[in-house]
Amino acid sequence: MRSIIKAGQTYERIDETFDSASPLVDEKKEELKDEDKVVESNEPFYRRYPKSIYFIVGNEFCERYSYYGMKAILVLYFTEILLLSASTATTIYHTFSLLCYLTPIFGAMLSDGYLGKFYTIFWLSWVYLIGSSTMSLTALPPQTTGDPYFWGPALGLLLIAIGTGGIKPCVAAFGGDQFGKHQTNEVQVFFSIFYFSINCGSLLATFLTPILREDVQCFDNDCYALAFGVPAVLLLVAIFIFVLGRITIGYKMYPPQGNIVWMVVKATGRAIKNRCKGKQKQCEHWLDYAADKYDQRLINDAKILYHVLIMYVPLPVFWALFDQQGSRWTLQATQMDGSLGGINLKPDQMQLLNPLLILLLIPIFDNLVYPCLKKCNIRCTHLQRMTWGMLFAAAAFVCSAFVQFAVNTTVVVPPESTESGVTLINAAPCDVRMVPTNGAWDSVVASPYDYSEILMTTPGAYFLNLEGNCSSIGQSTNVAADFDGGEAYRIIVAEFATDNGHELVAVQSPDKYEKPDRGLAYGSFIMTNLDPEREYYTVHMSGEFDYEFNVTKQGDTGFFISEWELYEPVDYTVCVMVNESYCEQLPSKFKVKAGAAYSVVYQAPHQGAAVMEVLETVPANTVNILLQIPQYTLITAGEVMFSITGLEFSYAQAPASMKSCLQACWLLTVCFGNLIVILIAESSFIPNQALEFLFFAGLMVVVSIIFALMSTWYTYVTPTHYDDIVAEDEKEQLTNGVEANETKDPNEFAMTNPHDTTEGEEKN
């Protein structure tokens, strides 16, 4: 962080100067006075930066940990605990993100119009805390017992959206308010530091939360209650730090200016009405038609606001791509191989790359890329940087599409509702052929201790004939099977010793023909030649993770079969408890790979050696998860150029009375970006995920070209500063013979304490 701050000592603005002679502002162009010029200071950084910003940055770090920690596991919480489909989970995830970036407009109205930034942040942080605590409490039983309810998590997410969204436009703007009028370079560095703190919190949260979720077990399940609870505690710490800053150092606090958003809306309506009626003489700008009722300062501020908002129109598409890191890209990672030697990366941990790369790339761009461009006399304005950020995001989605094409080769398609899947598992020492007596399909053949390819057939009742070609056992057996639509089944056949010798016996059992979530693997054990008098046997699996489960007797068939379980992808030693004191070890290790489904056949020794075969009926993930690194690198570079620049652009171009408002409008583009993802995900008009990634990439390229063309005619403006407004108001009051202290806004006194400063004073 120090290197970023230090860069502010010599860093000069690469962007063109915000032109005070913009045609939007009805003022004559004048030469800047010496006191109005931005002068580089040689003072140490700790003297040039208000002490209060460190409390604001600390608050933002803890708040971002809370937000990203909760969000990192949200999709998996939806699919594993609330039992939602991947598509529904994606939709709800982006709906939540949409709300988080829709509510900032209401936070801005509260801040600029009624409460001021400090109290808006303070009170909405408590709403936020209640929502985070609700998420933790609703992750306790009975929520984790397979009978989940959605109203509790929905309430928690709604409160979080109100809280985090409401404070979003205020915190960055409140930090910018701590600087003086001429500290232009310091403000630019502050926004880099601010974004740095956001990603420090995000990095730590994205790393620790999946560990708390999966490696800590509670209530016989992943500990989502703890994973959601820690972010709630960090949010409480954020509130404490924020209040501590006011008590010890004090903040520069400006009184609210009234409901500025509503006044702009009314002035806009007045201008349109007057222009349509033609009651006034021709005006240079259409908003000037409202001058008969509203003062010129409001009209000028509204001109600047609309001038900037036009540039925001194409921006949601960038966020539509960016926010898929937590949904589509995470789901892509669940279909990839996370094994790296002895380490297994969890799919949700890949999101760590974004904040980690942000921390690396911010200093590189601020201290190397931008200065090099300046030395090469290459202009790089705010809008040009944002255009390049969009193109980098498009390149990231091209990379993700190629990765998805490779992933698709290992993806299996589960049976649809109109079909059933059937696989023949052969635990006999000879080839076995399965034929339905009604001739519904051709014969299916499986080699000894092997399985057949899955067969999709019509749901219903079948009578199956199974024939073996070994002379040492009975030649055939029959089994009655009943298949439901949308389900997969195994027909398991094995040889058993009887009074008449050996014969084939078959049984129907549920199958798993789908990819497991979270980069785990499915497994089910099939055992024969065990004591038929027992009802079950206990099996122990030991390795980096330990599991214990039962294989239960299947009627009078002689088979013992376990339920399907999820396992971590590591190597296991397996043993069967043959009695209370002895666990008989199986002859070979069970090597589990991510994304696979295994039917493990074990034939206990009976007139011969034991047999163990691991049948991988669903192929393991083979595409390494590290192939996601290029796409994360590209989109993070795009984020540095787009998001940090846009944050500063929104603050620098905003009139003093609309700082929070324009920050909220910037965040509103994120809201509409998530809406784009929701519409496309719900419509499912692109069934192939790789093609959907390419669609987003192409859309981003088109929007980048449009934005680049729009930026060529954008004129940078120098909006009013708080200090200018105060000076102008005091001058007007003195001119009218009224003492300034008699006309102070009473809200201003309600918002201050002995440490706070107001009306442009700066406390160092």
Side-chain angles (χ1 to χ4, degrees):
M1 187 181 293
R2 183 181 177 86
S3 65
I4 297 176
I5 299 174
K6 192 174 181 181
Q9 296 180 7
T10 57
Y11 192 89
E12 295 182 29
R13 297 187 68 84
I14 297 171
D15 295 347
E16 56 186 316
T17 304
F18 296 134
D19 186 7
S20 61
S22 166
L24 292 173
V25 183
D26 189 17
E27 295 176 354
K28 295 181 180 179
K29 184 172 182 178
E30 297 179 359
E31 193 71 30
L32 285 175
K33 299 177 182 179
D34 290 341
E35 62 268 22
D36 289 336
K37 294 180 179 179
V38 178
V39 180
E40 291 288 343
S41 173
N42 292 321
E43 286 186 315
F45 75 92
Y46 58 85
R47 288 185 180 275
R48 292 191 291 122
Y49 292 85
K51 296 182 179 67
S52 55
I53 68 166
Y54 299 110
F55 291 92
I56 295 172
V57 168
N59 165 269
E60 185 68 7
F61 167 81
C62 294
E63 188 273 327
R64 290 291 86 184
Y65 180 101
S66 178
Y67 178 75
Y68 284 109
M70 177 274 304
K71 204 174 179 184
I73 59 173
L74 200 54
V75 170
L76 297 181
Y77 176 70
F78 289 153
T79 56
E80 294 178 10
I81 302 300
L82 301 185
L83 306 179
L84 303 176
S85 67
S87 180
T88 303
T90 298
T91 300
I92 296 176
Y93 176 89
H94 285 286
T95 301
F96 168 69
S97 296
L98 183 151
L99 288 174
C100 288
Y101 290 96
L102 178 64
T103 51
I105 194 66
F106 302 106
M109 294 172 67
L110 274 177
S111 172
D112 288 343
Y114 301 102
L115 298 179
K117 297 183 184 70
F118 177 85
Y119 280 104
T120 301
I121 297 169
F122 177 76
W123 289 116
L124 289 181
S125 292
W126 287 105
V127 175
Y128 192 173
L129 179 60
I130 294 171
S132 295
S133 302
T134 301
M135 286 299 294
S136 180
L137 293 174
T138 55
L140 297 171
Q143 192 79 330
T144 58
T145 58
D147 187 23
Y149 52 90
F150 190 69
W151 66 265
L155 175 62
L157 291 175
L158 177 62
L159 292 174
I160 290 172
I162 294 171
T164 188
I167 68 177
K168 274 179 188 292
C170 304
V171 180
F174 192 55
D177 289 351
Q178 307 308 303
F179 294 87
K181 175 181 177 182
H182 308 303
Q183 291 182 291
T184 309
N185 291 341
E186 285 78 4
V187 170
Q188 185 172 14
V189 175
F190 163 73
F191 280 107
S192 288
I193 299 170
F194 187 79
Y195 213 80
F196 191 92
S197 71
I198 290 174
N199 285 276
C200 281
S202 174
L203 175 66
L204 191 61
T206 311
F207 176 74
L208 291 179
T209 307
I211 294 175
L212 295 175
R213 168 188 64 80
E214 187 165 343
D215 293 352
V216 178
Q217 297 290 304
C218 55
F219 309 109
D220 299 323
N221 210 324
D222 288 350
C223 203
Y224 281 93
L226 177 63
F228 285 136
V230 172
V233 173
L234 262 291
L235 191 56
L236 186 62
V237 174
I239 298 172
F240 173 77
I241 292 173
F242 187 63
V243 174
L244 184 65
R246 189 185 181 203
I247 295 173
T248 57
I249 300 296
Y251 297 116
K252 182 189 289 188
M253 296 165 59
Y254 297 96
Q257 302 294 310
N259 193 342
I260 194 70
V261 175
W262 181 238
M263 285 191 289
V264 168
V265 171
K266 290 195 295 183
T268 302
R270 182 76 175 184
I272 295 172
K273 179 181 177 182
N274 286 344
R275 183 175 183 180
C276 291
K277 289 184 176 182
K279 290 184 177 181
Q280 299 182 12
K281 64 180 181 179
Q282 188 70 24
C283 297
E284 182 179 352
H285 191 281
W286 65 271
L287 277 171
D288 290 327
Y289 285 96
D292 64 328
K293 186 174 180 179
Y294 298 94
D295 66 34
Q296 195 60 42
R297 181 194 295 168
L298 175 66
I299 292 172
N300 287 340
D301 287 354
K303 291 176 184 179
I304 296 173
L305 176 67
Y306 288 129
H307 184 56
V308 176
L309 289 183
I310 292 173
M311 301 304 300
Y312 284 0
V313 173
L315 305 187
V317 178
F318 175 87
W319 298 115
L321 274 66
F322 180 82
D323 276 347
Q324 291 188 58
Q325 293 178 80
S327 56
R328 293 299 197 198
W329 284 12
T330 299
L331 293 173
Q332 182 187 67
T334 64
Q335 301 171 332
M336 302 177 75
D337 180 14
S339 59
L340 304 173
I343 302 173
N344 281 289
L345 286 178
K346 298 176 177 63
D348 42 355
Q349 283 183 324
M350 286 303 292
Q351 297 177 59
L352 277 170
L353 283 174
N354 177 253
L356 180 62
L357 289 169
I358 279 284
L359 301 185
L360 294 174
L361 291 178
I362 286 177
I364 291 174
F365 273 86
D366 278 355
N367 296 316
L368 183 62
V369 176
Y370 295 148
C372 285
L373 291 173
K374 185 179 187 308
K375 287 182 180 180
C376 296
N377 294 320
I378 299 176
R379 295 175 68 250
C380 191
T381 65
H382 280 107
L383 301 179
Q384 288 170 337
R385 275 188 259 171
M386 292 169 69
T387 302
W388 278 107
M390 293 178 180
L391 292 173
F392 270 70
F397 266 67
V398 172
C399 288
S400 66
F402 282 109
V403 170
Q404 189 64 43
F405 279 124
V407 167
N408 287 347
T409 61
T410 64
V411 173
V412 298
V413 180
E416 297 181 0
S417 59
T418 58
E419 59 187 5
S420 302
V422 183
T423 301
L424 174 61
I425 304 291
N426 184 8
C430 59
D431 290 344
V432 172
R433 185 167 67 98
M434 178 176 66
V435 182
T437 56
N438 64 358
W441 66 76
D442 294 334
S443 63
V444 174
V445 179
S447 301
Y449 303 109
D450 204 350
Y451 66 98
S452 68
E453 293 295 323
I454 190 168
L455 172 73
M456 297 299 176
T457 187
T458 305
Y462 291 85
F463 195 71
L464 306 176
N465 179 257
L466 296 106
E467 300 176 351
N469 61 1
C470 301
S471 58
S472 61
I473 62 177
Q475 290 297 303
S476 67
T477 187
N478 297 308
V479 61
D482 191 8
F483 303 141
D484 293 330
E487 300 293 336
Y489 298 92
R490 298 174 292 181
I491 300 299
I492 307 169
V493 60
E495 69 162 332
F496 288 87
T498 66
D499 295 338
N500 299 322
H502 292 80
E503 64 179 23
L504 289 178
V505 178
V507 67
Q508 175 185 340
S509 177
D511 197 7
K512 281 287 185 184
Y513 194 71
E514 61 187 57
K515 284 284 185 179
D517 295 327
R518 295 183 292 152
L520 302 179
Y522 285 120
S524 173
F525 281 76
I526 303 164
M527 297 187 175
T528 62
N529 284 347
L530 299 176
D531 184 357
E533 299 300 321
R534 293 184 57 168
E535 293 298 320
Y536 68 90
Y537 282 85
T538 300
V539 177
H540 293 277
M541 290 174 52
S542 57
E544 185 179 344
F545 301 88
D546 295 330
Y547 298 93
E548 182 178 293
F549 52 88
N550 293 330
V551 288
T552 56
K553 186 170 71 171
Q554 306 296 301
D556 295 327
T557 62
F559 286 98
F560 287 79
I561 302 175
S562 71
E563 300 287 338
W564 285 96
E565 304 282 352
L566 283 169
Y567 304 124
E568 290 284 348
V570 295
D571 293 352
Y572 296 95
T573 299
V574 185
C575 68
V576 181
M577 293 294 298
V578 294
N579 55 51
E580 293 182 358
S581 59
Y582 176 63
C583 192
E584 182 177 331
Q585 186 170 316
L586 271 61
S588 58
K589 282 196 171 185
F590 181 21
K591 298 182 178 181
V592 178
K593 296 180 180 179
Y598 297 98
S599 289
V600 182
V601 176
Y602 173 66
Q603 192 174 68
H606 179 75
Q607 297 180 353
V611 176
M612 176 180 173
E613 290 291 340
V614 178
L615 307 180
E616 188 179 278
T617 53
V618 172
N621 300 338
T622 56
V623 181
N624 196 279
I625 203 169
L626 294 183
L627 288 178
Q628 283 193 322
I629 290 178
Q631 65 200 56
Y632 273 98
T633 303
L634 286 168
I635 205 162
T636 304
E639 181 188 3
V640 172
M641 290 182 281
F642 181 90
S643 188
I644 299 177
T645 306
L647 197 65
E648 183 196 350
F649 174 79
S650 299
Y651 183 84
Q653 293 287 271
S657 60
M658 300 183 185
K659 295 293 186 185
S660 294
C661 177
L662 207 51
Q663 289 287 316
C665 292
W666 165 257
L667 295 169
L668 204 59
T669 64
V670 185
C671 164
F672 288 117
N674 281 276
L675 181 60
I676 292 172
V677 180
I678 292 170
L679 294 175
I680 293 176
E682 280 298 291
S683 64
S684 301
F685 76 94
I686 306 177
N688 188 306
Q689 186 60 64
L691 295 180
E692 183 180 295
F693 286 150
L694 288 177
F695 168 79
F696 276 110
L699 180 63
M700 187 76 265
V701 170
V702 172
V703 169
S704 300
I705 295 172
I706 294 172
F707 186 76
L709 294 174
M710 292 173 62
S711 66
T712 58
W713 55 261
Y714 181 84
T715 304
Y716 289 89
V717 299
T718 304
T720 52
H721 190 273
Y722 284 111
D723 297 346
D724 296 328
I725 294 176
V726 172
E728 183 181 332
D729 289 345
E730 289 182 348
K731 181 179 179 181
E732 182 179 345
Q733 291 165 3
L734 291 173
T735 301
N736 295 332
V738 182
E739 291 296 327
N741 59 1
E742 293 179 2
T743 59
K744 297 271 188 180
D745 188 331
N747 287 328
E748 180 179 336
F749 294 100
M751 294 169 56
T752 59
N753 70 20
H755 293 289
D756 294 331
T757 57
T758 60
E759 296 190 341
E761 291 181 39
E762 184 174 358
K763 196 176 187 75
N764 289 318

